[in-house]
Amino acid sequence: MLRGTDGAKFVLVFPLDGAYVRVTQGRFMTRATTHADLATVQAGDGDSVPVD
């Protein structure tokens, strides 16, 4: 699992069934998107670091 930011939004990325899910927490809403590879998920993110 990775955590990071996308501007002012908090982002979590985790693997699920051979894909990667990116959860973005905004001010009022939370959004989740699914991507086939990790490089696509991390595009546009700030610094992503593993969750301890």
Side-chain angles (χ1 to χ4, degrees):
M1 181 183 289
L2 298 173
R3 66 176 169 84
T5 58
D6 185 5
K9 299 176 183 177
F10 181 73
V11 177
L12 286 177
V13 176
F14 58 91
L16 180 67
D17 294 333
Y20 291 92
V21 177
R22 179 179 190 224
V23 178
T24 306
Q25 181 182 11
R27 186 172 187 170
F28 298 107
M29 297 180 64
T30 301
R31 184 174 105 162
T33 55
T34 305
H35 303 273
D37 60 271
L38 187 58
T40 305
V41 175
Q42 289 180 318
D45 273 356
D47 295 328
S48 296
V49 295
V51 175
D52 294 332

